[in-house]
Amino acid sequence: MSARPTPLRVLSRSDLADVPITPDAVVRAVEEAYLALAAGDSDNPRKLSVAHPDGWSVAYAMLGRDGRRRVVAMKTSYKFDPSHDRSTKRYYTTITLYDDATGMPIAMMDCARVGALRTPAVSALLVRETVRAGARSVLLIGTGTQGRNALPHLLAANPQLNRLMLYGTHPEGMKAVYDHLAAHHPQLELQTVADPREAAASADVVLATAGPGTKVALESADLAPGSTVVLVGYGLAPSTLADADRVVATSAEQMALTGTDMAGPDGTLRRVDTELPQILNRRSPGRTRDDERIFVYNSGLVLTDIAVAHALAERAIAEGRGTEVALWD
C-alpha cells in the first residue's frame, strides 16, 4: 500500500495580502532570526545569482535553516527590468518552507509581502543600534513598496523619532506613505520636503529607499554630523560609504555581492566595520561616538525572510487560506 501523498499548501499574493501582523511582531521576528544566526543556531549561506550581461534581468536563489523555529526554506527571485520603468518591470519572488522537525512541507508562498515587511523591519533594527543619542529627525527618500512600509516599522523600534520628513516624486506613492503612517501613528505629522539635500543637513537618520530611476544621490557633504544613513534601494552616492566614519551591514558578504554600485573611484568597496548579528548579540558596538557618520547597508538575509514568512504562513493557514496542491502525487 502506497503512502498517502503529501499536499503542499500554496499561499498566493491575495491570500497573504491582508493577513494581520503588526510592525512590532515583524521587528521581533526579524530580531530573533538574527540572534539565532549570531548564536550559531541557524545557517544562512551566500546567495547565488545570475544576471543578463546587458542588465536586463537578474535572478537569485537563497537557502536557509532557522534552527530555533526548526524551519528550512528556499527563496527565489527573478526581476526583468530592461528600461527601469515601473510600468514594464516584472518581478517574481517565492519562498517554500519545510518543517525540519517533522519533515513535512509547510507552504509555498508568494514572497512580495514578506519582503515588503522584512526589509523595513531590518532597517528599524539597524537604526536602533546605530542612531546617536538624542536623535529625533528622519528623512525618508522614496515612496515605493519599501518607502510605504518604512516609517511604521522604524517607529516600532525607535519611538523617540518624531520629526518625520519625506521626499518623493510620485503623488500616489506619497499618499500611500502618509496613509500607512496614519494607520499606525495617527498623532504624528509627516512633512513633505522639496529639497532632499537641504533636509538631509538636519536629519539624524536618512532612509534611502528610492527606485533605480531616482535623480537623488546624496553626497557625504550633504549629511549631518552624527547621522545614520541606511541604503535600502537608491538615493545615496558612493561618497556616503567612502567617507563614512563607520560602516555597518546586515552581511558584509551580501554587500560585496549586491553593493557593487557603491564602489569608489578605484572600483573597490569600503570595508565593513561590523554586522548586525554581532551588534545584536553585543559582540560589537553599533556606534562608538555620537559625532560619527554611519553608513548602513541593508541587504536581505534569507533567515529574515523565513522568520516573517513563517509568521504569515502560520496565521494564514490557521484561517484556512491558500490551496492544497498534490504536487508529489
Side-chain angles (χ1 to χ4, degrees):
M1 183 176 179
S2 61
R4 179 179 178 272
T6 301
L8 177 67
R9 180 72 64 107
V10 177
L11 295 167
S12 69
R13 186 167 300 186
S14 58
D15 290 328
L16 297 166
D18 59 349
V19 173
I21 189 167
T22 66
D24 288 304
V26 176
V27 170
R28 187 165 56 251
V30 167
E31 184 168 14
E32 289 170 355
Y34 276 118
L35 288 171
L37 177 63
D41 297 332
S42 300
D43 296 300
N44 196 107
R46 180 174 178 172
K47 66 174 69 172
L48 299 176
S49 69
V50 291
H52 189 284
D54 294 329
W56 282 22
S57 66
V58 62
Y60 294 99
M62 292 146 276
L63 172 68
R65 181 185 65 87
D66 187 322
R68 294 189 182 177
R69 289 181 177 81
R70 301 290 299 274
V71 173
V72 169
M74 284 167 277
K75 178 186 175 184
T76 63
S77 69
Y78 169 72
K79 181 170 69 173
F80 179 80
D81 190 15
S83 58
H84 300 304
D85 186 327
R86 290 188 184 191
S87 66
T88 59
K89 181 174 73 173
R90 299 291 180 265
Y91 183 53
Y92 310 99
T93 178
T94 62
I95 188 167
T96 305
L97 307 173
Y98 298 90
D99 188 325
D100 202 30
T102 66
M104 299 292 286
I106 299 171
M108 173 182 282
M109 307 165 59
D110 172 76
C111 211
R113 191 176 179 209
V114 173
L117 298 177
R118 172 265 287 165
T119 303
V122 174
S123 291
L125 291 170
L126 286 162
V127 170
R128 188 189 74 187
E129 298 300 326
T130 61
V131 74
R132 69 173 182 83
R136 293 290 181 269
S137 57
V138 180
L139 170 61
L140 171 62
I141 301 172
T143 61
T145 299
Q146 289 304 320
R148 298 174 192 192
N149 288 285
L151 294 177
H153 291 83
L154 180 69
L155 295 169
N158 302 273
Q160 80 280 11
L161 298 174
N162 55 20
R163 181 176 169 238
L164 310 178
M165 298 174 284
L166 170 67
Y167 175 80
T169 58
H170 298 276
E172 181 182 342
M174 294 173 71
K175 181 180 184 302
V177 173
Y178 274 84
D179 290 345
H180 275 65
L181 177 64
H184 296 278
H185 299 277
Q187 79 284 3
L188 292 181
E189 294 184 3
L190 177 59
Q191 174 191 357
T192 300
V193 300
D195 186 342
R197 287 179 172 80
E198 181 181 347
S202 64
D204 298 309
V205 177
V206 176
L207 294 178
T209 71
T214 185
K215 296 180 180 179
V216 177
L218 297 180
E219 300 284 353
S220 60
D222 298 320
L223 305 177
S227 60
T228 292
V229 297
V230 182
L231 184 61
V232 179
Y234 298 83
L236 300 177
S239 66
T240 59
L241 170 59
D243 298 338
D245 296 304
R246 189 166 176 79
V247 178
V248 175
T250 47
S251 165
E253 188 176 54
Q254 298 287 18
M255 179 173 164
L257 179 67
T258 61
T260 54
D261 58 328
M262 295 297 287
D266 62 354
T268 61
L269 276 177
R270 166 76 182 274
R271 181 179 64 85
V272 171
D273 292 299
T274 189
E275 298 173 314
L276 181 58
Q278 284 66 48
I279 297 172
L280 290 174
N281 75 352
R282 305 311 172 203
R283 293 181 187 173
S284 175
R287 173 179 287 273
T288 60
R289 304 189 319 270
D290 273 354
D291 64 343
E292 64 185 351
R293 288 185 298 186
I294 299 181
F295 176 94
V296 177
Y297 190 81
N298 181 349
S299 60
L301 291 183
V302 73
L303 284 176
T304 57
D305 291 286
I306 294 172
V308 177
H310 189 242
L312 287 172
E314 284 189 322
R315 289 163 169 80
I317 293 170
E319 294 182 1
R321 302 188 186 209
T323 304
E324 286 196 343
V325 177
L327 184 65
W328 296 289
D329 193 350

